[in-house]
């Protein structure tokens, strides 16, 4: 448990760390990258949210797989915000300028998200709907909080 959480924290705090390799990427690539990363996260969170709400049947194996993937994916979107705000060309970004104005707060939200999905991956191993439902709620709260602060509708 401790190892998972520590790993997540390291990944989350490395947010703005991976600059060198990004030099050739264009503004629109940053936008596409981070949107793709969030889409992949939503793809995996969707069924978990569906199980938590009772919209789809509980499937312990799927829950465990998706939660483990989320723990990996949670560290990925953030490098797509590096060096921004980015001009997406067609205006296709929902990122608020507040991200770059309040980067510490944004990074804090990313770290909290990582912690909660790490916990979700652990809880999913129990194979029980009750605790899963509760932790899916905790993860969803971190999504929502960040969207409220930093994402245009
Ligand atoms: C989802 C999803 C989000 C979050 C958010 C939680 O399933 O795609 O962006 O949950 O709605 O409030």
């Amino acid at each position: 448990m401790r190892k998972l959480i520590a790993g997540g924290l390291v990944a989350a705090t490395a947010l703005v760390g991976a600059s060198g390799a990004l030099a050739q990427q264009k503004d629109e690539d940053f936008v596409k990258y981070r949107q793709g990363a969030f889409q992949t996260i939503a793809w995996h969170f969707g069924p978990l949210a569906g199980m938590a709400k009772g919209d789809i049947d509980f499937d312990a194996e799927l829950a465990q797989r998706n939660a483990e993937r989320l723990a990996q994916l949670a560290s990925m979107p953030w490098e797509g915000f590096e060096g921004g705000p980015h001009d997406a060309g067609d205006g296709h970004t929902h990122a608020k300028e507040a991200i770059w104005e309040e980067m510490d707060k944004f990074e804090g939200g990313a770290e909290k998200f990582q912690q909660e999905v790490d916990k979700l991956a652990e809880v999913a191993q129990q194979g029980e709907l009750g605790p899963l439902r509760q932790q899916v709620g905790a993860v969803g709260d971190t999504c929502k909080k960040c969207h409220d602060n930093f994402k245009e509708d």
Side-chain angles (χ1 to χ4, degrees), residues 38 41-43 45-47 49-50 53 139-145 147-148 151:
F38 283 128
I41 286 169
W43 174 271
F45 190 60
K53 281 188 254 171
V139 171
D141 286 347
T142 69
C143 301
K144 183 174 181 333
K145 200 166 173 203
H147 292 174
D148 288 348
K151 187 180 176 224

Side-chain angles (χ1 to χ4, degrees), residues 4 8 11-12 21 27 34 38 71 85 92 98 100 107 115 121 124 141-142 151:
L4 252 184
D27 273 7
R34 68 196 187 219
F38 283 128
H92 194 62
W100 292 276
E107 288 183 2
Q115 288 169 358
D141 286 347
T142 69
K151 187 180 176 224

Side-chain angles (χ1 to χ4, degrees), residues 97-148:
E97 301 237 346
I99 291 167
W100 292 276
E101 290 160 5
E102 302 171 71
M103 187 50 83
D104 284 355
K105 186 173 165 185
F106 185 67
E107 288 183 2
E111 233 170 82
K112 177 79 177 150
F113 173 59
Q114 180 77 61
Q115 288 169 358
E116 295 297 357
V117 290
D118 283 347
K119 213 191 272 187
L120 183 68
E122 284 178 31
V123 166
Q125 285 176 27
Q126 295 171 27
E128 284 169 35
L129 181 57
L132 183 81
R133 183 185 283 138
Q134 194 179 339
Q135 190 55 27
V136 165
V139 171
D141 286 347
T142 69
C143 301
K144 183 174 181 333
K145 200 166 173 203
C146 215
H147 292 174
D148 288 348

